[in-house]
Amino acid sequence: MTDTKPPVSIHELIQLAHIGIPGDQVTWSRVTMTSDRWIAIRHSNKEDKEAMVTVLNPKDGVISYAGQTSADSIQMNPTQPVIALKAGARFEVFNFDTKVMISKTKIHEPVVFWTWLNPDIIAMVTDTVIYHWDLWQNNPPERVFCRHPRLAFSEIISYKADPSLKWLAVTGLTPEEKRISGITQLYSVSDDITQCIGAHAVCFSTYHYDDNPSQSTVMCVASRETHDHGKVHVIELGPYKQGNFAPRNNYDLIQYLDDVDRYDFPVSLHVSCKYGLLFVMTKYGYLYLCDMETAACLCCTRVSLNVIFTSTLNTDSQGIVGVTRGGQIVTVDIKKDGFIKYVRDTAKKTNQANRLEKAISIQIDNDEDVRGSRDTSTSSQMEPNSFLLRDANSNISKLK
């Protein structure tokens, strides 16, 4: 469903070219965003022998890290002033505030994908095995499970875990004739069982259904199937919690709006627990907003003409922050009153509109209650520290 006046607002926060990031280096492998606190960029100029590292706040553009490194990949911790750097088989992790290295390790298999699972654990995906590296245990990366053969020829683009680390999902894409196939391998740690499903994007979250006394762990799945259609699932995972209704598995069909010679598919999912909304972002800039309670698709609109290759939840506005291939950092937010009216009058989904109206009203009241304390609190942003950068980069530059 589309609307000439979509009930979302789209604003450019930063243009990376304005801070010296070459346009041809704004890519998935060079620009990483694990949360809405930082964006880490690895870039270089023709005159520089070593790569540059720039870490900035995506909302205001404040640069908190800038220096040289020989690392081939970098990622910021999602919640702490900590940066992880990879150089070949070596990994090192540094803390900005204490100016010291937290941990380092070496893995003896080529790592094809790695990410922070949470503030404590880095996950590493090789051609055959998935490892977890707990930074505080002083142990080498631990083997968790093996990759399924169905992922053998896929490009790994995502690895997700639920908050308890009991459910894990690794996703790969495989080019096929006139389409991109998505395969996700699910793994239950408790049962030591693995299963492959057709899915281009997966995420886990905790969510409190309106009619349940206890919150649930849910898995959200988005896929593109035959022709121009796909599905969005919201699946309640076990174990069953006393007093809750039976676990539910809701889904809805969505229609993809391809351009000429462009095969679109979902690339990221983000859950706003406060509003009960699932944001489904596609490669070519379409946003589908779905209801967490029922998985019903409420709205579809295009938010960017460029590829959005990385995005995350905006914890302040309960929208999303994304980076486009054109170097824009954009924020996409719902127009609260207009969105409720759209869902009720245009999408003809009265129950969902009533639930959204209640959820948004509660959130507005909560924001007003804490606004005073937020205004007086100090920001946790880090001050630039060139001496720290020299320390960190001198260590990582030694990695061969």
Side-chain angles (χ1 to χ4, degrees), residues 274-275 336 340 354-368:
K274 295 180 179 179
Y275 291 164
K336 298 179 178 63
I340 294 169
N354 292 339
R355 187 199 64 74
L356 277 166
E357 188 171 37
K358 178 181 177 182
I360 291 173
S361 176
I362 291 174
Q363 188 57 37
I364 291 174
D365 291 341
N366 291 340
D367 289 344
E368 291 177 350

Side-chain angles (χ1 to χ4, degrees), residues 11-222:
H11 299 291
E12 178 180 311
L13 300 175
I14 303 165
Q15 171 53 253
L16 293 178
H18 295 166
I19 60 171
I21 308 300
D24 62 348
Q25 297 181 30
V26 182
T27 63
W28 181 68
S29 62
R30 288 179 172 268
V31 181
T32 59
M33 183 167 57
T34 53
S35 73
D36 64 344
R37 295 190 64 177
W38 295 288
I39 291 179
I41 308 166
R42 183 177 61 88
H43 56 102
S44 60
N45 298 315
K46 293 181 179 179
E47 298 80 11
D48 297 324
K49 295 182 180 180
E50 290 189 318
M52 297 290 296
V53 176
T54 300
V55 176
L56 69 150
N57 185 314
K59 297 175 183 177
D60 57 22
V62 172
I63 296 175
S64 52
Y65 187 123
Q68 291 185 324
T69 181
S70 62
D72 56 52
S73 183
I74 57 175
Q75 292 198 34
M76 284 295 300
N77 186 289
T79 63
Q80 303 176 31
V82 170
I83 188 169
L85 306 101
K86 171 186 172 293
R90 299 282 299 276
F91 288 81
E92 293 190 356
V93 181
F94 293 88
N95 183 290
F96 286 165
D97 292 341
T98 60
K99 306 179 183 180
V100 297
M101 183 170 63
I102 295 172
S103 188
K104 64 179 179 179
T105 192
K106 184 174 183 179
I107 190 165
H108 299 286
E109 301 176 58
V111 174
V112 299
F113 181 86
W114 67 285
T115 187
W116 290 91
L117 269 192
N118 60 34
D120 301 321
I121 295 175
I122 290 176
M124 306 168 185
V125 182
T126 73
D127 286 332
T128 56
V129 178
I130 287 84
Y131 295 91
H132 288 180
W133 180 31
D134 192 323
L135 303 182
W136 312 108
Q137 296 299 319
N138 198 28
N139 291 323
E142 176 186 3
R143 178 180 176 136
V144 182
F145 65 100
C146 294
R147 276 178 57 173
H148 196 278
R150 289 185 64 186
L151 287 171
F153 301 103
S154 298
E155 178 187 7
I156 303 302
I157 62 161
S158 172
Y159 181 60
K160 303 290 186 181
D162 78 305
S164 68
L165 300 180
K166 298 297 185 184
W167 295 91
L168 310 171
V170 57
T171 301
L173 300 180
T174 304
E176 298 180 359
E177 186 178 2
K178 296 183 179 180
R179 66 189 297 263
I180 303 293
S181 175
I183 295 293
T184 294
Q185 178 184 353
L186 302 178
Y187 179 72
S188 168
V189 176
S190 300
D191 298 328
D192 189 24
I193 294 175
T194 193
Q195 176 186 0
C196 285
I197 62 173
H200 292 76
V202 170
C203 77
F204 295 94
S205 179
T206 55
Y207 182 71
H208 198 155
Y209 287 94
D210 282 350
D211 52 3
N212 279 346
S214 301
Q215 68 178 9
S216 305
T217 299
V218 297
M219 178 177 69
C220 303
V221 178

